[in-house]
Amino acid sequence: MFLDKLLFLFVNNDYSILDKFSGQDCLIVGNGPSLNETDLERIKMPSIGMNKINLLFDKTTWRPDVIVSVNGLVIKQNKFFFNSTNIPLVLPLKAWYIGIKKRPNVIFVKISDSLNFQDNLKKSLGIGSTVTYTCFQVAAFAKVKSVNIVGVDHSFNINSKGNRKEHSIEILEGEDTNHFDPNYFKDKLWGLPDLDGSEKAYLLAKQYFLVKKTPVKDYTIKGKLQVFDKENILDIYKR
């Protein structure tokens, strides 16, 4: 923790790369299989993608305006892309240890093992059991007009060996049915999801945006998450 604080003094983050979100409707894009049914090219608003969203790039001309990733395993597995892309990134300081190069398009943030919802990226962000929670905090920092969600299916099939406890690190055996690409975690290490922990975090995000009078709508096709108001995907295409 002390080393993180020390390194943070030298990162010189350029937060202006998030200015395009200020006062705008914002799209948060999860990595669930429903993305294969979602026409992202029809959604005209600044967007926040996450983790290995780049695996979708060979199927669409759509690109997120920023990508957020906080999981060390994911960052290691996606290291080449993160080190070569010009898309703005929001990554934890540990990504620097992993070998992510410091560049003008990278914002390094401090992460705390807590539910603390933070709207200031210069302070420690709560991890909240899901990278989507970090995306909400990025949106809060950027002072968006509204938050709109797609691809957060909030449903997982656990196909791995071990004790299958939340957050356990295990090998996902065979094709990945939990994400939009079957190779996402195929035969790779992944951290088992904690849906209850995620929902607790989402409730805090919901409360924050409610106080700020910032609407949050969930357009995920057949999504199982019930925390946010559900809307039909066709409605966001018309906006």
Side-chain angles (χ1 to χ4, degrees), residues 21 58 72 79 114 157 160 178 182 193 217:
F21 290 92
D58 63 348
K79 180 178 174 180
S114 73
N157 294 315
S160 55
N178 299 312
K217 304 291 184 180

Side-chain angles (χ1 to χ4, degrees), residues 31 33 36 55-56 58-59 176-177 179-185:
N31 286 175
N36 292 317
L55 295 179
L56 189 70
D58 63 348
K59 303 175 185 176
D176 187 342
T177 61
H179 297 87
F180 63 83
D181 191 305
N183 294 309
Y184 200 97
F185 282 124

Side-chain angles (χ1 to χ4, degrees), residues 123-175:
K123 297 183 179 180
S124 294
L125 312 184
I127 196 73
S129 300
T130 170
V131 64
T132 310
Y133 190 55
T134 309
C135 294
F136 281 125
Q137 293 172 83
V138 172
F141 174 80
K143 295 180 172 56
V144 301
K145 178 182 178 182
S146 71
V147 177
N148 305 274
I149 307 164
V150 295
V152 179
D153 293 40
H154 198 62
S155 176
F156 292 86
N157 294 315
I158 308 300
N159 184 25
S160 55
K161 291 182 177 179
N163 56 22
R164 301 191 176 189
K165 292 183 64 176
E166 295 89 348
H167 305 291
S168 296
I169 305 300
E170 300 182 5
I171 295 285
L172 181 69
E173 298 185 336
E175 292 190 344

Side-chain angles (χ1 to χ4, degrees), residues 41-69:
E41 295 178 18
R42 295 177 63 185
I43 305 176
K44 307 302 181 183
M45 59 183 67
S47 57
I48 302 174
M50 58 189 81
N51 289 344
K52 300 182 186 180
I53 189 64
N54 51 290
L55 295 179
L56 189 70
F57 290 178
D58 63 348
K59 303 175 185 176
T60 177
T61 60
W62 170 87
R63 297 292 184 269
D65 294 284
V66 64
I67 299 174
V68 177
S69 187

